Structure formats: structure tokens, C-alpha cells
Amino acid sequence: MNPSDEEKLLQSTALQNANSVFLARQRAEQELIRTKEVLQARTDELVASLARMEETLQERDRARSDADEARRIAQEANEAKGRFLRMISHELRTPLGAIGGYAALIEEGIHGPLTDKQRESVARIRHNQQHLLGLVNELLDLARIESGRVSLNLERLLFQSVIESVRHMIEPQIAAKSQHLDVQSDDPDLVVRADRERVEQIVLNLLSNAVKFTGQGGTITISTTHSGDKVYLHVQDTGIGIPADKLEAVFESFVQIEPALSHTRGSGLGLAISRQLARAMHGDLTVESVLGTGSTFTLCLPRATDSTALT
């Protein structure tokens, strides 16, 4: 090969190498551009995601702040309601007591003998005075419970003794309607840890309601059961029952069943107070009912396990 051919070959090889380098560089630049575009897209996605996260966090903070404000307003409203109930209740107790006192004096004939009509009118005055006084006492009870000021004396308590005590209180009402009271217990020695006065208050309220909403000659059953560390008292009646949509509502303050279902009256506070008292003693109060057949209210209380003296 002469020098001229060698020079041409070298030039051709150099040109091919240059083209290869150029193409490789061009491909590398294109790949770099694609990589930058991918990185930029991912960066944009990350920035957008961070922005959404920041917005979510801000919304959560706003929601938390709104919730805190709503709780504060609700607490202030509840405290104001409690103060109002306590004030009104105390203001009403004095004149109601005076009305009852004067009615009793008139009934005793201190201002002269009464005619039958006058005696009947005085009896109505005393009846309504007692009703209003009972309502005032319930309002005070509700105000104390909702403000956390209710005082409880938790002790070991023989459940059967409570039943017997309340039974004597309710028997005149049961006799007046020719009803039958049936007391059953799977264990007469059941002991709970509770406040005796408050348990009697709850059971008396349940029995009074049972008598009130059960017709002449109906049956009311008191029974006790236990399971594990819980003791249950059931008050079952054969009365008018409760509509399904009212089963929880009856435990709300001032709520009563439909007037068309009953001709009785009440404050609508007894069950609300009873449930709150039961829960304050680490128990509960629930109900099952079939409209037109009857209701069963169940008081649940913790079973006592210590060895302190019974009451």
C-alpha cells in the first residue's frame, strides 16, 4: 500500500471514529435531557404532594382549632345551664315549701273548718305542690350530676336489701292498680359496690315508671342475675311499651314517650338522671321493649369483691 492509500485509510478511519463519537455524544445528550425531564416531573410531583400535605395539615389544624372552640363553647353553655338550673331550683324550693306549709295549715282547719269542696281544692294544691317540688329536686340532681358535683358513697351493698327496701315503698302504688309484683333472684346474696341511696333512687324510679305505664291488673317483675364482675337488676312490665325509635331517647333529659301512648305525666328527667347515676357508679342502665307488650329496664352495677362490712 502506497503512502497515499494509507493516508486515505487513516482519514477514513478517523472520520468514522469522529462520527461514532458524535453519535454517542448526541445519544448521551438526548438521554441526559430525558433524565432531566423525568427528574423535573418527579420534582414537580413531589412539590405538589408537599403542597397538598401542607394544605391537609393546615385543614387539620383548623378543624382541631374549630373542635376545641366548639368544646369550649359547649362547656361554657353547659356550665351556664347548670348555674341556671341550680339558681332556678333554689329559688323555687322556698316558695313551693311555703305553699305546701300553708296548704297543710288550711287542711288542718287552722283558719276554720273546710267544706268538702274546699278540702278537695286544698288536696289538689298539695298534690301539685309535691309534683313541682319533685321536679325541682330532679333539676337540682341533674345540675349536680352534669357539673360533676354529685357525691357518691360507694360501699359493699347487698342487692336484695335494696330490692326489699324499695318494694315496701312501691307496694301502695301497685295495690292501687291491682297489679302483681313478682320478685325473682338467681342469687339472694349478690353484693354490689355502689351508693345505697342512689341505687334505691334508680330502682324506685324504674318501678314507679313500670307501675305508671302498666294498666290495671298488669304484672311487674324484678329479677337479678350476674355475669363475671357485673350484677344486673331487671325491671320488666306488661305495659304499653316504647317505640323502637325512642329506646335511646327516653334516657335524654326532658324526653317522654308520645303523649298518645300514655295519659300519665312526668318531668322526663327520671331516666336521664338514673342512667347518669348508674354510669357514675361504673355501671349502666339500658332498655329493651316491644310496643304494646311491655319493657325491661336493666341496671348494671359492678360486683363487690372486697371483704368490708355489708350495708
Side-chain angles (χ1 to χ4, degrees), residues 1-247:
M1 184 178 294
N2 56 44
S4 177
D5 292 336
E6 289 182 359
E7 184 175 342
K8 288 179 180 178
L9 180 60
L10 290 172
Q11 289 176 351
S12 176
T13 302
L15 183 59
Q16 290 176 355
N17 290 338
N19 286 335
S20 297
V21 170
F22 176 75
L23 291 172
R25 180 177 178 181
Q26 192 176 38
R27 286 194 296 271
E29 288 177 348
Q30 290 174 349
E31 185 65 27
L32 180 60
I33 290 171
R34 284 195 295 273
T35 302
K36 288 176 65 178
E37 289 175 348
V38 171
L39 288 175
Q40 184 62 46
R42 290 182 178 177
T43 300
D44 291 343
E45 290 178 0
L46 180 60
V47 170
S49 178
L50 289 173
R52 288 194 297 271
M53 185 180 297
E54 178 67 22
E55 185 178 351
T56 300
L57 290 173
Q58 290 177 354
E59 289 178 355
R60 185 199 65 184
D61 290 341
R62 284 195 297 269
R64 181 179 294 172
S65 177
D66 291 343
D68 290 341
E69 179 66 12
R71 278 194 295 270
R72 184 188 65 78
I73 293 173
Q75 183 176 359
E76 289 181 354
N78 193 51
E79 291 174 354
K81 181 186 73 173
R83 288 194 298 271
F84 173 76
L85 288 177
R86 289 192 295 273
M87 179 191 72
I88 291 297
S89 299
H90 284 299
E91 290 297 321
L92 288 174
R93 283 170 66 93
T94 300
L96 283 173
I99 291 171
Y102 283 119
L105 291 175
I106 293 172
E107 195 172 33
E108 290 174 3
I110 195 170
H111 298 299
L114 302 178
T115 66
D116 291 341
K117 285 291 185 182
Q118 289 173 331
R119 192 171 296 280
E120 183 180 339
S121 295
V122 172
R124 288 179 180 176
I125 291 172
R126 294 198 65 183
H127 175 77
N128 284 283
Q129 180 263 346
Q130 288 297 319
H131 173 73
L132 287 175
L133 191 58
L135 175 59
V136 168
N137 289 332
E138 287 183 334
L139 285 171
L140 278 173
D141 238 353
L142 182 66
R144 292 191 191 101
I145 293 170
E146 291 186 345
S147 65
R149 297 180 181 180
V150 61
S151 178
L152 296 173
N153 179 29
L154 300 180
E155 56 188 343
R156 294 183 78 241
L157 181 62
L158 186 64
F159 224 4
Q160 193 64 32
S161 69
V162 173
I163 295 173
E164 290 302 319
S165 176
V166 176
R167 178 178 184 173
H168 294 309
M169 300 180 199
I170 203 69
E171 279 179 341
Q173 298 178 40
I174 290 176
K177 297 184 73 173
S178 302
Q179 295 170 342
H180 174 66
L181 179 63
D182 184 19
V183 179
Q184 305 171 0
S185 177
D186 64 350
D187 183 355
D189 297 321
L190 286 174
V191 178
V192 296
R193 183 167 182 80
D195 183 301
R196 183 184 187 93
E197 181 181 348
R198 294 304 187 175
V199 174
E200 288 184 353
Q201 178 181 348
I202 295 170
V203 177
L204 182 60
N205 179 67
L206 296 180
L207 287 172
S208 296
N209 284 345
V211 172
K212 187 187 303 182
F213 295 107
T214 300
Q216 290 285 135
T219 299
I220 298 168
T221 304
I222 307 173
S223 60
T224 56
T225 58
H226 63 91
S227 177
D229 60 351
K230 300 294 183 182
V231 175
Y232 304 91
L233 180 141
H234 314 277
V235 175
Q236 181 179 11
D237 63 58
T238 57
I240 60 177
I242 303 169
D245 61 343
K246 292 285 188 180
L247 287 177

Side-chain angles (χ1 to χ4, degrees), residues 269-290:
L269 289 174
L271 289 175
I273 292 172
S274 294
R275 171 174 273 189
Q276 292 193 56
L277 285 173
R279 291 179 173 178
M281 293 185 288
H282 312 293
D284 204 355
L285 181 61
T286 57
V287 63
E288 295 178 355
S289 184
V290 177

